[in-house]
């Protein structure tokens, strides 16, 4: 039985080592891609800082990868989070969004923050700077509500 366990263990080590040669595509744009979003939504310096440390890794084309992203399968798990985040809201694509979509995305941002669904708990475990205070969360909500006023077509309901 121990020989079998040693063979299985050895095979698992070999599979793990070989897997390290296979890496997902990295999300390595630059933060210049978010500048239009920041300017157009009139993000304050405080909001810019919060967005940079708590949002842009998953919601832009520029991710600041942690050291453990070099380890398979962790890198695939992180890549899945990043792709999912960009699918829902990618600030690097802000210029391509219609006015209606911009309004809607900001509305969703407010809802995600108010429902405490963002930033993800799994993200804040390893990114302590993304653990936002109630004051920081409120700053984001206030900023997003103000930014929505630039896009909302139905001003009677705002």
């Amino acid at each position: 039985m121990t020989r079998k366990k040693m063979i299985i263990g050895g095979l698992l080590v070999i599979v793990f080592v070989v897997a390290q040669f296979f890496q997902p595509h990295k999300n390595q744009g630059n933060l210049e891609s978010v500048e239009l979003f920041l300017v157009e939504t009139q993000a304050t310096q405080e909001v810019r800082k919060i967005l940079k440390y708590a949002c842009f890794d998953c919601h832009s084309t520029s991710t600041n990868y942690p050291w453990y992203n070099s380890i398979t399968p962790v890198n695939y798990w992180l890549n899945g989070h990043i792709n999912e985040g960009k699918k829902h809201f990618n600030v690097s694509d802000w210029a391509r969004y219609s006015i209606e979509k911009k309004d809607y995305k900001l509305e969703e941002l407010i809802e995600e923050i108010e429902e405490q669904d963002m930033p993800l708990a799994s993200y804040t475990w390893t990114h302590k700077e993304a653990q936002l205070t109630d004051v920081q969360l409120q700053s984001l909500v206030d900023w997003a509500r103000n930014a929505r006023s630039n896009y909302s077509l139905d001003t009677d309901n705002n």
Side-chain angles (χ1 to χ4, degrees):
M1 195 61 127
T2 53
R3 181 158 170 82
K4 251 187 188 178
K5 287 181 182 179
M6 286 180 61
I7 291 172
I8 291 171
L11 287 173
L12 287 174
V13 168
I14 291 169
V15 168
F16 180 77
V17 169
V18 169
Q20 301 315 302
F21 293 100
F22 298 94
Q23 303 281 320
H25 176 73
K26 286 192 174 184
N27 189 44
Q28 291 187 305
N30 59 53
L31 283 178
E32 290 174 16
S33 66
V34 303
E35 193 59 31
L36 173 69
F37 169 76
L38 295 171
V39 170
E40 195 174 295
T41 60
Q42 301 172 350
T44 64
Q45 287 304 317
E46 176 192 10
V47 167
R48 285 172 181 248
K49 183 178 175 184
I50 295 168
L51 291 169
K52 180 179 179 185
Y53 292 110
C55 306
F56 288 165
D57 278 351
C58 294
H59 295 285
S60 78
T61 58
S62 178
T63 299
N64 184 21
Y65 286 97
W67 65 268
Y68 50 84
N69 185 66
S70 300
I71 303 169
T72 300
V74 173
N75 50 15
Y76 282 95
W77 178 73
L78 289 173
N79 194 54
H81 275 280
I82 293 165
N83 288 336
E84 187 70 19
K86 288 191 325 184
K87 183 175 88 175
H88 290 286
F89 184 35
N90 185 349
V91 297
S92 296
D93 289 341
W94 192 253
R96 290 180 235 161
Y97 288 177
S98 67
I99 289 173
E100 293 85 3
K101 188 171 184 176
K102 289 176 181 182
D103 180 46
Y104 178 70
K105 290 300 177 182
L106 289 169
E107 179 183 24
E108 282 186 321
L109 182 148
I110 293 166
E111 288 175 10
E112 292 292 317
I113 292 169
E114 288 181 337
E115 293 172 4
Q116 299 180 352
D117 291 334
M118 285 290 150
L120 292 175
S122 59
Y123 182 77
T124 59
W125 293 337
T126 55
H127 296 84
K128 300 301 181 197
E129 68 280 4
Q131 292 178 350
L132 304 178
T133 66
D134 289 342
V135 171
Q136 289 172 312
L137 292 169
Q138 191 59 52
S139 293
L140 282 175
V141 168
D142 293 344
W143 156 76
R145 282 192 177 125
N146 186 56
R148 277 193 75 206
S149 67
N150 296 325
Y151 307 112
S152 183
L153 299 175
D154 184 6
T155 55
D156 293 337
N157 291 331
N158 289 331

